[in-house]
PDB file of all heavy atoms in Angstrom:
ATOM      1  N   LEU A 315      -7.992 -15.611  -6.846  1.00 97.00           N
ATOM      2  CA  LEU A 315      -6.900 -16.032  -7.731  1.00 97.00           C
ATOM      3  C   LEU A 315      -5.891 -14.910  -7.964  1.00 97.00           C
ATOM      4  O   LEU A 315      -4.767 -15.168  -8.396  1.00 97.00           O
ATOM      5  CB  LEU A 315      -7.469 -16.488  -9.079  1.00 97.00           C
ATOM      6  CG  LEU A 315      -8.392 -17.709  -9.065  1.00 97.00           C
ATOM      7  CD1 LEU A 315      -8.926 -17.966 -10.469  1.00 97.00           C
ATOM      8  CD2 LEU A 315      -7.675 -18.941  -8.534  1.00 97.00           C
ATOM      9  N   ALA A 316      -6.289 -13.667  -7.690  1.00 97.00           N
ATOM     10  CA  ALA A 316      -5.434 -12.514  -7.982  1.00 97.00           C
ATOM     11  C   ALA A 316      -4.058 -12.585  -7.301  1.00 97.00           C
ATOM     12  O   ALA A 316      -3.054 -12.230  -7.919  1.00 97.00           O
ATOM     13  CB  ALA A 316      -6.144 -11.217  -7.607  1.00 97.00           C
ATOM     14  N   PRO A 317      -3.949 -13.040  -6.041  1.00 97.00           N
ATOM     15  CA  PRO A 317      -2.636 -13.084  -5.411  1.00 97.00           C
ATOM     16  C   PRO A 317      -1.654 -14.056  -6.061  1.00 97.00           C
ATOM     17  O   PRO A 317      -0.449 -13.940  -5.851  1.00 97.00           O
ATOM     18  CB  PRO A 317      -2.954 -13.530  -3.968  1.00 97.00           C
ATOM     19  CG  PRO A 317      -4.371 -13.127  -3.748  1.00 97.00           C
ATOM     20  CD  PRO A 317      -5.033 -13.318  -5.076  1.00 97.00           C
ATOM     21  N   VAL A 318      -2.154 -15.009  -6.842  1.00 97.00           N
ATOM     22  CA  VAL A 318      -1.267 -16.025  -7.437  1.00 97.00           C
ATOM     23  C   VAL A 318      -1.240 -15.981  -8.962  1.00 97.00           C
ATOM     24  O   VAL A 318      -0.467 -16.718  -9.591  1.00 97.00           O
ATOM     25  CB  VAL A 318      -1.668 -17.446  -6.968  1.00 97.00           C
ATOM     26  CG1 VAL A 318      -1.469 -17.578  -5.462  1.00 97.00           C
ATOM     27  CG2 VAL A 318      -3.122 -17.763  -7.338  1.00 97.00           C
ATOM     28  N   ALA A 319      -2.069 -15.152  -9.568  1.00 97.00           N
ATOM     29  CA  ALA A 319      -2.143 -15.080 -11.034  1.00 97.00           C
ATOM     30  C   ALA A 319      -1.322 -13.891 -11.531  1.00 97.00           C
ATOM     31  O   ALA A 319      -1.669 -12.740 -11.264  1.00 97.00           O
ATOM     32  CB  ALA A 319      -3.592 -14.963 -11.485  1.00 97.00           C
ATOM     33  N   ASP A 320      -0.250 -14.159 -12.243  1.00 97.00           N
ATOM     34  CA  ASP A 320       0.621 -13.103 -12.765  1.00 97.00           C
ATOM     35  C   ASP A 320      -0.141 -12.255 -13.780  1.00 97.00           C
ATOM     36  O   ASP A 320      -0.633 -12.779 -14.786  1.00 97.00           O
ATOM     37  CB  ASP A 320       1.848 -13.739 -13.423  1.00 97.00           C
ATOM     38  CG  ASP A 320       2.918 -12.719 -13.789  1.00 97.00           C
ATOM     39  OD1 ASP A 320       2.591 -11.522 -13.877  1.00 97.00           O
ATOM     40  OD2 ASP A 320       4.078 -13.126 -13.997  1.00 97.00           O
ATOM     41  N   PRO A 321      -0.244 -10.947 -13.535  1.00 97.00           N
ATOM     42  CA  PRO A 321      -0.973 -10.075 -14.482  1.00 97.00           C
ATOM     43  C   PRO A 321      -0.386 -10.080 -15.886  1.00 97.00           C
ATOM     44  O   PRO A 321      -1.091  -9.748 -16.842  1.00 97.00           O
ATOM     45  CB  PRO A 321      -0.846  -8.686 -13.843  1.00 97.00           C
ATOM     46  CG  PRO A 321      -0.574  -8.946 -12.406  1.00 97.00           C
ATOM     47  CD  PRO A 321       0.239 -10.207 -12.364  1.00 97.00           C
ATOM     48  N   ALA A 322       0.885 -10.417 -16.008  1.00 95.00           N
ATOM     49  CA  ALA A 322       1.484 -10.483 -17.338  1.00 95.00           C
ATOM     50  C   ALA A 322       0.802 -11.556 -18.200  1.00 95.00           C
ATOM     51  O   ALA A 322       0.797 -11.472 -19.430  1.00 95.00           O
ATOM     52  CB  ALA A 322       2.975 -10.779 -17.230  1.00 95.00           C
ATOM     53  N   TYR A 324      -2.409 -13.185 -16.881  1.00 96.00           N
ATOM     54  CA  TYR A 324      -3.845 -13.194 -16.558  1.00 96.00           C
ATOM     55  C   TYR A 324      -4.254 -11.833 -16.001  1.00 96.00           C
ATOM     56  O   TYR A 324      -4.675 -11.712 -14.857  1.00 96.00           O
ATOM     57  CB  TYR A 324      -4.142 -14.296 -15.529  1.00 96.00           C
ATOM     58  CG  TYR A 324      -3.559 -15.647 -15.888  1.00 96.00           C
ATOM     59  CD1 TYR A 324      -2.418 -16.122 -15.247  1.00 96.00           C
ATOM     60  CD2 TYR A 324      -4.155 -16.438 -16.871  1.00 96.00           C
ATOM     61  CE1 TYR A 324      -1.882 -17.353 -15.568  1.00 96.00           C
ATOM     62  CE2 TYR A 324      -3.620 -17.677 -17.208  1.00 96.00           C
ATOM     63  CZ  TYR A 324      -2.480 -18.125 -16.551  1.00 96.00           C
ATOM     64  OH  TYR A 324      -1.954 -19.351 -16.882  1.00 96.00           O
ATOM     65  N   ILE A 327      -7.703 -11.086 -14.159  1.00 97.00           N
ATOM     66  CA  ILE A 327      -7.875 -11.532 -12.775  1.00 97.00           C
ATOM     67  C   ILE A 327      -7.466 -10.428 -11.801  1.00 97.00           C
ATOM     68  O   ILE A 327      -8.046 -10.283 -10.721  1.00 97.00           O
ATOM     69  CB  ILE A 327      -7.049 -12.802 -12.514  1.00 97.00           C
ATOM     70  CG1 ILE A 327      -7.532 -13.953 -13.407  1.00 97.00           C
ATOM     71  CG2 ILE A 327      -7.107 -13.208 -11.045  1.00 97.00           C
ATOM     72  CD1 ILE A 327      -8.949 -14.400 -13.108  1.00 97.00           C
ATOM     73  N   ALA A 328      -6.469  -9.619 -12.178  1.00 97.00           N
ATOM     74  CA  ALA A 328      -5.993  -8.550 -11.290  1.00 97.00           C
ATOM     75  C   ALA A 328      -7.106  -7.555 -10.966  1.00 97.00           C
ATOM     76  O   ALA A 328      -7.150  -7.002  -9.859  1.00 97.00           O
ATOM     77  CB  ALA A 328      -4.814  -7.832 -11.934  1.00 97.00           C
ATOM     78  N   GLY A 331      -9.143  -8.883  -8.177  1.00 96.00           N
ATOM     79  CA  GLY A 331      -8.442  -8.683  -6.911  1.00 96.00           C
ATOM     80  C   GLY A 331      -8.579  -7.257  -6.411  1.00 96.00           C
ATOM     81  O   GLY A 331      -8.764  -7.015  -5.217  1.00 96.00           O
ATOM     82  N   PHE A 554      -0.442  -2.978 -13.339  1.00 96.00           N
ATOM     83  CA  PHE A 554      -0.415  -4.332 -12.767  1.00 96.00           C
ATOM     84  C   PHE A 554       0.781  -5.119 -13.316  1.00 96.00           C
ATOM     85  O   PHE A 554       1.527  -5.764 -12.568  1.00 96.00           O
ATOM     86  CB  PHE A 554      -1.694  -5.098 -13.119  1.00 96.00           C
ATOM     87  CG  PHE A 554      -2.930  -4.643 -12.394  1.00 96.00           C
ATOM     88  CD1 PHE A 554      -4.142  -4.569 -13.066  1.00 96.00           C
ATOM     89  CD2 PHE A 554      -2.904  -4.309 -11.048  1.00 96.00           C
ATOM     90  CE1 PHE A 554      -5.298  -4.170 -12.417  1.00 96.00           C
ATOM     91  CE2 PHE A 554      -4.057  -3.904 -10.379  1.00 96.00           C
ATOM     92  CZ  PHE A 554      -5.252  -3.834 -11.071  1.00 96.00           C
ATOM     93  N   ILE A 555       0.936  -5.066 -14.626  1.00 96.00           N
ATOM     94  CA  ILE A 555       1.980  -5.847 -15.289  1.00 96.00           C
ATOM     95  C   ILE A 555       3.374  -5.338 -14.917  1.00 96.00           C
ATOM     96  O   ILE A 555       4.287  -6.121 -14.636  1.00 96.00           O
ATOM     97  CB  ILE A 555       1.770  -5.819 -16.817  1.00 96.00           C
ATOM     98  CG1 ILE A 555       0.468  -6.554 -17.178  1.00 96.00           C
ATOM     99  CG2 ILE A 555       2.956  -6.450 -17.547  1.00 96.00           C
ATOM    100  CD1 ILE A 555       0.050  -6.410 -18.630  1.00 96.00           C
ATOM    101  N   ARG A 557       4.277  -3.683 -12.192  1.00 97.00           N
ATOM    102  CA  ARG A 557       4.591  -3.980 -10.791  1.00 97.00           C
ATOM    103  C   ARG A 557       5.016  -5.429 -10.615  1.00 97.00           C
ATOM    104  O   ARG A 557       5.891  -5.746  -9.799  1.00 97.00           O
ATOM    105  CB  ARG A 557       3.397  -3.642  -9.898  1.00 97.00           C
ATOM    106  CG  ARG A 557       3.216  -2.147  -9.682  1.00 97.00           C
ATOM    107  CD  ARG A 557       2.244  -1.860  -8.552  1.00 97.00           C
ATOM    108  NE  ARG A 557       0.880  -2.197  -8.892  1.00 97.00           N
ATOM    109  CZ  ARG A 557      -0.004  -1.346  -9.409  1.00 97.00           C
ATOM    110  NH1 ARG A 557       0.352  -0.097  -9.666  1.00 97.00           N
ATOM    111  NH2 ARG A 557      -1.237  -1.725  -9.670  1.00 97.00           N
ATOM    112  N   SER A 558       4.402  -6.314 -11.368  1.00 97.00           N
ATOM    113  CA  SER A 558       4.778  -7.727 -11.320  1.00 97.00           C
ATOM    114  C   SER A 558       6.250  -7.911 -11.655  1.00 97.00           C
ATOM    115  O   SER A 558       6.994  -8.616 -10.955  1.00 97.00           O
ATOM    116  CB  SER A 558       3.904  -8.529 -12.293  1.00 97.00           C
ATOM    117  OG  SER A 558       4.384  -9.845 -12.447  1.00 97.00           O
ATOM    118  N   ALA A 559       6.712  -7.260 -12.725  1.00 97.00           N
ATOM    119  CA  ALA A 559       8.108  -7.365 -13.147  1.00 97.00           C
ATOM    120  C   ALA A 559       9.038  -6.671 -12.147  1.00 97.00           C
ATOM    121  O   ALA A 559      10.149  -7.144 -11.873  1.00 97.00           O
ATOM    122  CB  ALA A 559       8.281  -6.754 -14.535  1.00 97.00           C
ATOM    123  N   VAL A 561       8.596  -6.285  -8.877  1.00 98.00           N
ATOM    124  CA  VAL A 561       8.728  -7.112  -7.675  1.00 98.00           C
ATOM    125  C   VAL A 561       9.711  -8.245  -7.920  1.00 98.00           C
ATOM    126  O   VAL A 561      10.549  -8.556  -7.063  1.00 98.00           O
ATOM    127  CB  VAL A 561       7.352  -7.656  -7.240  1.00 98.00           C
ATOM    128  CG1 VAL A 561       7.512  -8.760  -6.185  1.00 98.00           C
ATOM    129  CG2 VAL A 561       6.485  -6.538  -6.691  1.00 98.00           C
ATOM    130  N   ALA A 562       9.631  -8.868  -9.087  1.00 97.00           N
ATOM    131  CA  ALA A 562      10.557  -9.958  -9.412  1.00 97.00           C
ATOM    132  C   ALA A 562      12.003  -9.463  -9.370  1.00 97.00           C
ATOM    133  O   ALA A 562      12.909 -10.166  -8.884  1.00 97.00           O
ATOM    134  CB  ALA A 562      10.224 -10.535 -10.792  1.00 97.00           C
ATOM    135  N   ASP A 583      -0.296  -1.030  -4.669  1.00 96.00           N
ATOM    136  CA  ASP A 583      -1.158  -2.174  -4.931  1.00 96.00           C
ATOM    137  C   ASP A 583      -1.751  -2.678  -3.628  1.00 96.00           C
ATOM    138  O   ASP A 583      -1.244  -2.385  -2.546  1.00 96.00           O
ATOM    139  CB  ASP A 583      -0.391  -3.287  -5.643  1.00 96.00           C
ATOM    140  CG  ASP A 583      -1.166  -3.878  -6.809  1.00 96.00           C
ATOM    141  OD1 ASP A 583      -2.417  -3.839  -6.767  1.00 96.00           O
ATOM    142  OD2 ASP A 583      -0.549  -4.376  -7.765  1.00 96.00           O
ATOM    143  N   THR A 584      -2.814  -3.455  -3.744  1.00 96.00           N
ATOM    144  CA  THR A 584      -3.609  -3.850  -2.587  1.00 96.00           C
ATOM    145  C   THR A 584      -3.141  -5.184  -1.995  1.00 96.00           C
ATOM    146  O   THR A 584      -2.387  -5.927  -2.626  1.00 96.00           O
ATOM    147  CB  THR A 584      -5.086  -3.983  -2.992  1.00 96.00           C
ATOM    148  OG1 THR A 584      -5.233  -5.142  -3.835  1.00 96.00           O
ATOM    149  CG2 THR A 584      -5.558  -2.744  -3.731  1.00 96.00           C
ATOM    150  N   PRO A 585      -3.621  -5.517  -0.778  1.00 96.00           N
ATOM    151  CA  PRO A 585      -3.236  -6.793  -0.166  1.00 96.00           C
ATOM    152  C   PRO A 585      -3.663  -8.018  -0.974  1.00 96.00           C
ATOM    153  O   PRO A 585      -3.111  -9.104  -0.792  1.00 96.00           O
ATOM    154  CB  PRO A 585      -3.960  -6.762   1.190  1.00 96.00           C
ATOM    155  CG  PRO A 585      -4.133  -5.318   1.485  1.00 96.00           C
ATOM    156  CD  PRO A 585      -4.390  -4.671   0.158  1.00 96.00           C
ATOM    157  N   SER A 586      -4.639  -7.847  -1.867  1.00 96.00           N
ATOM    158  CA  SER A 586      -5.117  -8.967  -2.680  1.00 96.00           C
ATOM    159  C   SER A 586      -4.359  -9.107  -3.998  1.00 96.00           C
ATOM    160  O   SER A 586      -4.696  -9.973  -4.809  1.00 96.00           O
ATOM    161  CB  SER A 586      -6.616  -8.784  -2.980  1.00 96.00           C
ATOM    162  OG  SER A 586      -7.362  -8.667  -1.795  1.00 96.00           O
ATOM    163  N   SER A 587      -3.360  -8.279  -4.217  1.00 97.00           N
ATOM    164  CA  SER A 587      -2.683  -8.244  -5.512  1.00 97.00           C
ATOM    165  C   SER A 587      -1.547  -9.251  -5.613  1.00 97.00           C
ATOM    166  O   SER A 587      -0.992  -9.718  -4.617  1.00 97.00           O
ATOM    167  CB  SER A 587      -2.122  -6.841  -5.767  1.00 97.00           C
ATOM    168  OG  SER A 587      -1.062  -6.573  -4.857  1.00 97.00           O
ATOM    169  N   PHE A 588      -1.198  -9.555  -6.851  1.00 98.00           N
ATOM    170  CA  PHE A 588      -0.067 -10.447  -7.131  1.00 98.00           C
ATOM    171  C   PHE A 588       1.236  -9.820  -6.654  1.00 98.00           C
ATOM    172  O   PHE A 588       2.068 -10.488  -6.028  1.00 98.00           O
ATOM    173  CB  PHE A 588      -0.006 -10.722  -8.634  1.00 98.00           C
ATOM    174  CG  PHE A 588       1.117 -11.639  -9.048  1.00 98.00           C
ATOM    175  CD1 PHE A 588       1.002 -13.002  -8.882  1.00 98.00           C
ATOM    176  CD2 PHE A 588       2.276 -11.122  -9.619  1.00 98.00           C
ATOM    177  CE1 PHE A 588       2.037 -13.866  -9.263  1.00 98.00           C
ATOM    178  CE2 PHE A 588       3.315 -11.963 -10.001  1.00 98.00           C
ATOM    179  CZ  PHE A 588       3.197 -13.343  -9.823  1.00 98.00           C
ATOM    180  N   ALA A 589       1.427  -8.521  -6.908  1.00 98.00           N
ATOM    181  CA  ALA A 589       2.681  -7.848  -6.552  1.00 98.00           C
ATOM    182  C   ALA A 589       2.941  -7.912  -5.048  1.00 98.00           C
ATOM    183  O   ALA A 589       4.043  -8.269  -4.606  1.00 98.00           O
ATOM    184  CB  ALA A 589       2.647  -6.393  -7.019  1.00 98.00           C
ATOM    185  N   VAL A 590       1.940  -7.567  -4.252  1.00 98.00           N
ATOM    186  CA  VAL A 590       2.118  -7.551  -2.793  1.00 98.00           C
ATOM    187  C   VAL A 590       2.362  -8.958  -2.256  1.00 98.00           C
ATOM    188  O   VAL A 590       3.215  -9.175  -1.398  1.00 98.00           O
ATOM    189  CB  VAL A 590       0.899  -6.906  -2.107  1.00 98.00           C
ATOM    190  CG1 VAL A 590       0.967  -7.072  -0.588  1.00 98.00           C
ATOM    191  CG2 VAL A 590       0.830  -5.428  -2.464  1.00 98.00           C
ATOM    192  N   ASN A 591       1.632  -9.927  -2.773  1.00 97.00           N
ATOM    193  CA  ASN A 591       1.790 -11.290  -2.269  1.00 97.00           C
ATOM    194  C   ASN A 591       3.106 -11.927  -2.702  1.00 97.00           C
ATOM    195  O   ASN A 591       3.699 -12.694  -1.940  1.00 97.00           O
ATOM    196  CB  ASN A 591       0.601 -12.147  -2.700  1.00 97.00           C
ATOM    197  CG  ASN A 591      -0.620 -11.899  -1.844  1.00 97.00           C
ATOM    198  OD1 ASN A 591      -0.837 -12.566  -0.847  1.00 97.00           O
ATOM    199  ND2 ASN A 591      -1.421 -10.906  -2.219  1.00 97.00           N
ATOM    200  N   GLN A 592       3.600 -11.595  -3.887  1.00 98.00           N
ATOM    201  CA  GLN A 592       4.920 -12.079  -4.298  1.00 98.00           C
ATOM    202  C   GLN A 592       6.010 -11.447  -3.438  1.00 98.00           C
ATOM    203  O   GLN A 592       6.963 -12.115  -3.025  1.00 98.00           O
ATOM    204  CB  GLN A 592       5.157 -11.766  -5.773  1.00 98.00           C
ATOM    205  CG  GLN A 592       4.353 -12.627  -6.731  1.00 98.00           C
ATOM    206  CD  GLN A 592       4.674 -14.103  -6.598  1.00 98.00           C
ATOM    207  OE1 GLN A 592       3.860 -14.892  -6.144  1.00 98.00           O
ATOM    208  NE2 GLN A 592       5.870 -14.484  -6.997  1.00 98.00           N
ATOM    209  N   MET A 593       5.865 -10.142  -3.157  1.00 98.00           N
ATOM    210  CA  MET A 593       6.860  -9.461  -2.338  1.00 98.00           C
ATOM    211  C   MET A 593       6.894 -10.029  -0.923  1.00 98.00           C
ATOM    212  O   MET A 593       7.966 -10.133  -0.302  1.00 98.00           O
ATOM    213  CB  MET A 593       6.557  -7.966  -2.285  1.00 98.00           C
ATOM    214  CG  MET A 593       7.675  -7.139  -1.658  1.00 98.00           C
ATOM    215  SD  MET A 593       9.047  -6.840  -2.782  1.00 98.00           S
ATOM    216  CE  MET A 593       8.480  -5.324  -3.582  1.00 98.00           C
ATOM    217  N   SER A 594       5.759 -10.408  -0.399  1.00 97.00           N
ATOM    218  CA  SER A 594       5.688 -10.859   0.994  1.00 97.00           C
ATOM    219  C   SER A 594       6.119 -12.305   1.199  1.00 97.00           C
ATOM    220  O   SER A 594       6.251 -12.752   2.343  1.00 97.00           O
ATOM    221  CB  SER A 594       4.258 -10.677   1.526  1.00 97.00           C
ATOM    222  OG  SER A 594       3.364 -11.532   0.853  1.00 97.00           O
ATOM    223  N   LYS A 595       6.364 -13.029   0.111  1.00 97.00           N
ATOM    224  CA  LYS A 595       6.779 -14.431   0.251  1.00 97.00           C
ATOM    225  C   LYS A 595       8.066 -14.540   1.049  1.00 97.00           C
ATOM    226  O   LYS A 595       9.061 -13.896   0.739  1.00 97.00           O
ATOM    227  CB  LYS A 595       6.966 -15.074  -1.126  1.00 97.00           C
ATOM    228  CG  LYS A 595       5.671 -15.536  -1.770  1.00 97.00           C
ATOM    229  CD  LYS A 595       5.943 -16.353  -3.028  1.00 97.00           C
ATOM    230  CE  LYS A 595       4.651 -16.930  -3.591  1.00 97.00           C
ATOM    231  NZ  LYS A 595       4.888 -17.734  -4.814  1.00 97.00           N
TER     232      LYS A 595
END
Side-chain angles (χ1 to χ4, degrees):
L315 297 177
V318 296
D320 189 341
Y324 311 104
I327 298 295
F554 288 140
I555 294 171
R557 285 193 290 267
S558 170
V561 167
D583 225 332
T584 70
S586 303
S587 68
F588 180 79
V590 171
N591 282 269
Q592 287 299 111
M593 190 79 88
S594 66
K595 279 189 174 180

